[in-house]
Amino acid sequence: MKYYYSLSSKDGSDGKREVLIRLQPFVCGKVLSMRAKSGVFINAVYFDEDGGVKDLSRKHLATPEITYHKEQAARLRKLTAYIEGRFNATDRRDLYSQWLKDAVNEYYHPDDGSGTRQSFYELANEYISKLECSDGYARSFRVMVRDVARYEAFIRATDKQRAKYVFDIDTITRDDIEDFADYLKAESDLANEYPDLFKRLLTEYPSGVTNSKRTIEQRGNNTIHAIIKKLRALFLWLADEGKTANRPFDGYKIVAEQYGTPIYITIEERNIISETALPTEHLRVQRDIFVFQCLIGCRVGDLMNLTAKNINSGILTYTPHKTKDESSSFAARVPLVDKARELIKRYQGADRRGRLFPFITPQRYNDAIKAIFTAAGITRPVEVRNSLTGEYELKPINEVASSHLARRTFVGNLYFRIKDPAIIGQMSGHVNGSKAFQRYRNIADEILVDAVQYIK
């Protein structure tokens, strides 16, 4: 059997291309053309049409480049030997156009004895169960998995040519990723066009996918980019774990999210909120938590895990969940001012789980913050970026207030006075080089006024 090798026309992110394999056996009086990706990536200069990868056995200089390509040549030889053995053991009448692709998949994913391979959804569950991440990230990751499930089911239901379509980790291509991103952008319109279909898609998820009854809402570019980034993180993990040789994100560019200038309240507004008489105990408790968050600047996911053990000698210390993978030794350190210590003492022992405050869910917390702003009369208009259109709009601040505004209040007011990202980052949990501070450079014209005084 003669093997034909070629290179993919698409460069990966590291400039390497995948070796493609083609077979043309004679079956039932006809030539059957079979193609498959090999999972072997090389630089084009080392490609050889006869063997896939040039023979480098006579190269004496063991540079990292030569060593890598020797390893890839060995991988391709082992794969070819496996295909050869499987081909020789197969009755020619049982060959079909996808046979070679299935053989490569089985080489990289041998049957575990159960007769089945792990699905995308099972692998996604394995990934998130092993990943040390915040509850918020885990929830948003599972949203991405549900999005994939609906995408897969939508294709099956609407495209006769792909009625058996599977979001398979070994066969997904960059084109599939781009198509998925387009689907995310159009899904709300599709839900209106196919109401009966989406009524089913929103309830009939594959086994292992957590269900969540919801409607389809229009997504902005930032939301779509965040979903695609989570999918990319999963595929990077799958490759690192040796669960697939497929690299569909090679050459795929994810545009950076676009955000407006951070919105925050002044210290005077924070004090008005702190002193406002509120109608219910529920709002009074959530107000105190919000004020405390303004005084320490952490994310809500970290805030809700703080206990007395995080405080030593008047300094609150914690490892931010969002940045711990970027810098495992990084710990945020915030000296507690008198007001913060007073609030902690007020709620000592109030939480059954031993946390600093009796927290509720993040969503209910955000709802309470909006009600608190309204009751305190903090309703000034602010310019916000519409996540769907990208245009800027004026909205009352009480309508857009959330727990993250407390974090911005901490950072924004400190930045206005200190202007040193390193000092603020040590307290807020921003790692060195964080892009977030670039946005705070636009928050106060007074900083610019101060600066030009030096050249009078």
Side-chain angles (χ1 to χ4, degrees), residues 234-250:
L234 172 60
F235 268 96
L236 289 174
W237 177 81
L238 292 170
D240 289 342
E241 293 292 312
K243 295 180 181 294
T244 185
N246 190 23
R247 300 164 62 94
F249 278 92
D250 279 356

Side-chain angles (χ1 to χ4, degrees), residues 314-340:
I315 295 179
L316 177 74
T317 305
Y318 66 95
T319 301
H321 265 91
K322 185 174 180 180
T323 56
K324 68 178 181 179
D325 291 334
E326 301 174 41
S327 179
S328 58
S329 62
F330 179 81
R333 293 169 51 80
V334 190
L336 296 174
V337 298
D338 291 343
K339 180 65 175 177

Side-chain angles (χ1 to χ4, degrees), residues 108-260:
Y108 285 112
H109 302 280
D111 196 322
D112 62 3
S114 65
T116 60
R117 292 171 53 229
Q118 283 181 291
S119 69
F120 169 84
Y121 308 104
E122 291 169 328
L123 291 166
N125 282 334
E126 181 181 343
Y127 166 72
I128 202 64
S129 67
K130 292 181 177 179
L131 182 70
E132 293 185 10
C133 62
S134 66
D135 291 341
Y137 183 88
R139 284 194 299 271
S140 62
F141 181 85
R142 293 189 175 98
V143 169
M144 179 274 291
V145 174
R146 288 195 292 273
D147 293 338
V148 169
R150 290 196 305 277
Y151 168 70
E152 179 185 69
F154 179 81
I155 290 177
R156 289 180 181 176
T158 60
D159 188 341
K160 292 182 179 180
Q161 301 299 319
R162 296 191 289 173
K164 296 183 179 180
Y165 177 80
V166 175
F167 200 87
D168 190 300
I169 64 168
D170 294 316
T171 59
I172 290 299
T173 66
R174 187 169 71 182
D175 289 340
D176 289 306
I177 301 299
E178 292 172 349
D179 191 51
F180 175 54
D182 290 339
Y183 169 84
L184 293 173
K185 192 168 188 177
E187 191 179 33
S188 62
D189 294 331
L190 294 172
N192 292 328
E193 186 177 350
Y194 302 92
D196 293 336
L197 173 59
F198 273 86
K199 184 177 181 180
R200 175 168 61 83
L201 297 186
L202 284 166
T203 56
E204 297 179 3
Y205 286 105
S207 175
V209 178
T210 55
N211 199 347
S212 177
K213 292 183 179 180
R214 57 186 290 272
T215 57
I216 303 297
E217 298 178 356
Q218 190 174 1
R219 299 179 179 90
N221 288 333
N222 284 356
T223 300
I224 294 172
H225 296 158
I227 293 171
I228 297 298
K229 284 169 68 174
K230 290 180 177 63
L231 183 59
R232 181 178 62 179
L234 172 60
F235 268 96
L236 289 174
W237 177 81
L238 292 170
D240 289 342
E241 293 292 312
K243 295 180 181 294
T244 185
N246 190 23
R247 300 164 62 94
F249 278 92
D250 279 356
Y252 184 91
K253 294 183 179 180
I254 300 178
V255 181
E257 291 94 334
Q258 299 294 319
Y259 296 100

Side-chain angles (χ1 to χ4, degrees), residues 383-394:
E383 191 176 55
V384 297
R385 185 177 182 274
N386 186 306
S387 62
L388 299 178
T389 66
E391 300 296 325
Y392 286 89
E393 306 170 342
L394 283 177

Side-chain angles (χ1 to χ4, degrees), residues 295-299 315-318 320 330-336 407 410-411 414-415 418 420-430 437:
L295 296 170
I296 64 170
C298 69
R299 299 176 179 88
I315 295 179
L316 177 74
T317 305
Y318 66 95
F330 179 81
R333 293 169 51 80
V334 190
L336 296 174
R407 175 171 168 77
F410 176 86
V411 175
L414 281 177
Y415 194 92
I418 299 174
D420 187 339
I423 295 175
I424 303 171
Q426 180 62 63
M427 294 185 284
S428 65
H430 288 98
F437 283 110

